[in-house]
């Protein structure tokens, strides 16, 4: 089976790299500067000159792009017919109607479409420990790609027909986003009260709410390391998808909307490409002149 991977961003690069250690892989990215990590010894990855060339050289194609606009800029109408007898697996976060549109386009062209958004950020992607949320109109289609997604995932759960994987991701990300903002607010409160943030982290780690995620994010706050594992702009994009899905389902997402407004403020302050926990810099303490500080840090 020849594999292809379109989109080598924060998540796409480690996902593709893990695949390249097990299967023949063709990759494409809009910016060639993303290729070097995939051209190391032990990797089978070979860059394609164009998305069309990648499609022709692959049987199973993974897609990991930022949003629907980015996907449409690559999967143009003249490219879709070339998916005949090919399988497209979309791992990008998009709306359910858009995913269903992709499914219709690919299947009409004679191809197969599978949805697999993932739960996890840069480090789980590097470790091959993402959680895949599989969706296909026939469960056997999802089962057919399991051997090829194992290098990227610690689990891959079938959620239902096309759209169900994304719906599951919206639900999971609701928890993730609100927990992240809650952790940022807790750290900000500890700092504002003059507490030692290292002690704050130790208390959290020793208690029942401890998790690998909370430890990772507290460590980033302590080190003022805002390098992205999942970016502010990714989180804001998620809040918009969640809110739209909730409106359609008749569910309230009060916390997600509040988190979305905070992430929007962070983007407007120039923090779009920083890690999602850098939202802590948008929670002012008494005497602060500005809420968000792109150049500054979070002083505990």
């Amino acid at each position: 089976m020849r594999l292809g991977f379109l989109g080598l961003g924060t998540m796409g690069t480690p996902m593709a790299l893990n695949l390249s250690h097990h299967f023949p892989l063709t990759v494409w990215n809009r910016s060639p500067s993303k290729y070097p990590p995939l051209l190391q010894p032990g990797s089978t990855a070979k860059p394609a000159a164009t998305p069309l060339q990648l499609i022709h050289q692959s049987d199973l194609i993974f897609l990991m792009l930022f949003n629907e606009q980015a996907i449409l800029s690559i999967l143009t109408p003249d490219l879709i017919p070339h998916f005949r007898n090919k399988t497209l697996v979309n791992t990008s976060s998009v709306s359910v109607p858009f995913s269903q549109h992709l499914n219709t386009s690919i299947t009409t062209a004679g191809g197969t479409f599978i949805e697999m958004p993932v739960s996890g950020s840069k480090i789980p992607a590097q470790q091959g420990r993402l959680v895949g949320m599989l969706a296909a109109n026939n469960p056997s289609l999802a089962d057919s790609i399991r051997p090829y997604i194992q290098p990227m995932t610690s689990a891959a759960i079938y959620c239902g027909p096309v759209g169900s994987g994304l719906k599951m991701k919206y639900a999971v990300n609701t928890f993730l986003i609100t927990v992240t903002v809650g952790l940022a607010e807790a750290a900000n409160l500890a700092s504002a009260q003059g507490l030692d943030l290292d002690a704050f982290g130790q208390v959290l780690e020793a208690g029942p709410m401890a998790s690998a995620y909370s430890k990772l994010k507290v460590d980033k706050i302590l080190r003022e390391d805002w390098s992205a594992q999942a970016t502010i702009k990714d989180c804001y994009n998620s809040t918009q998808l969640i809110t739209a899905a909730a409106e359609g389902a008749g569910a309230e997402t009060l916390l997600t909307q509040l988190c979305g407004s905070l992430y929007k403020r962070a983007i407007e302050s120039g923090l779009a490409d920083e890690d999602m926990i850098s939202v802590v810099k948008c929670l002012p303490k008494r005497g602060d002149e500005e809420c968000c500080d792109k150049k500054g840090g979070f002083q505990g």
Side-chain angles (χ1 to χ4, degrees):
M1 178 74 74
R2 302 172 303 164
L3 272 54
F5 207 104
L6 290 163
L8 302 175
T10 300
M11 295 292 289
T13 295
M15 291 169 71
L17 187 59
N18 285 330
L19 288 175
S20 75
H21 292 153
H22 297 270
F23 306 104
L25 181 70
T26 302
V27 298
W28 181 88
N29 192 70
R30 197 182 305 274
S31 170
S33 65
K34 299 291 187 178
Y35 292 143
L38 287 152
L39 303 179
Q40 303 300 319
S43 170
T44 65
K46 295 181 179 179
T50 64
L52 179 59
Q53 185 183 68
L54 181 144
I55 294 169
H56 285 166
Q57 295 177 353
S58 307
D59 305 303
L60 173 61
I61 300 151
F62 292 91
L63 183 66
M64 173 56 95
L65 295 171
F66 177 62
N67 58 17
E68 297 172 8
Q69 290 71 31
I71 293 173
L72 289 173
S73 71
I74 293 171
L75 299 188
T76 53
D78 60 318
L79 209 62
I80 296 298
H82 296 275
F83 278 94
R84 180 177 177 80
N85 297 324
K86 310 284 185 178
T87 297
L88 177 65
V89 181
N90 180 40
T91 66
S92 316
S93 294
V94 296
S95 68
V96 169
F98 184 80
S99 188
Q100 292 169 336
H101 166 72
L102 276 183
N103 175 63
T104 299
S105 297
I106 297 300
T107 55
T108 299
T112 298
F113 179 80
I114 299 171
E115 187 180 275
M116 194 190 78
V118 295
S119 179
S121 56
K122 183 178 179 180
I123 289 180
Q126 291 171 333
Q127 297 171 337
R129 297 193 59 79
L130 296 170
V131 176
M133 291 159 276
L134 288 164
N137 289 343
N138 185 332
S140 65
L141 295 178
D143 289 337
S144 70
I145 67 166
R146 289 187 182 277
Y148 308 105
I149 61 177
Q150 284 182 355
M152 301 185 293
T153 61
S154 59
I157 298 150
Y158 179 71
C159 299
V162 170
S164 302
L166 286 161
K167 291 176 181 178
M168 188 68 74
K169 177 155 187 177
Y170 303 154
V172 170
N173 273 11
T174 297
F175 179 56
L176 170 66
I177 289 167
T178 53
V179 162
T180 302
V181 173
L183 179 59
E185 188 167 273
N188 188 62
L189 176 59
S191 175
Q193 295 178 117
L195 296 174
D196 176 59
L197 283 182
D198 186 61
F200 166 76
Q202 291 179 50
V203 171
L204 275 184
E205 188 174 353
M209 295 177 292
S211 68
Y213 182 77
S214 64
K215 185 178 188 305
L216 181 68
K217 295 307 182 186
V218 168
D219 284 347
K220 288 182 78 67
I221 292 173
L222 289 172
R223 292 182 285 109
E224 296 194 351
D225 171 15
W226 314 120
S227 59
Q229 292 161 345
T231 66
I232 290 282
K233 65 184 179 185
D234 287 328
C235 286
Y236 178 69
N237 185 49
S238 286
T239 64
Q240 300 311 290
L241 290 169
I242 292 166
T243 300
E247 288 176 355
E252 285 192 319
T253 51
L254 303 179
L255 290 177
T256 300
Q257 291 178 53
L258 184 59
C259 292
S261 66
L262 191 57
Y263 279 118
K264 183 179 181 181
R265 185 194 306 171
I267 290 172
E268 292 169 347
S269 299
L271 305 180
D273 293 317
E274 292 194 3
D275 189 78
M276 60 196 296
I277 198 61
S278 70
V279 74
V280 71
K281 294 192 285 183
C282 289
L283 297 169
K285 296 184 286 292
R286 186 182 302 161
D288 286 351
E289 293 182 0
E290 296 183 2
C291 292
C292 295
D293 183 358
K294 181 179 180 181
K295 294 182 180 179
F298 175 75
Q299 297 301 322

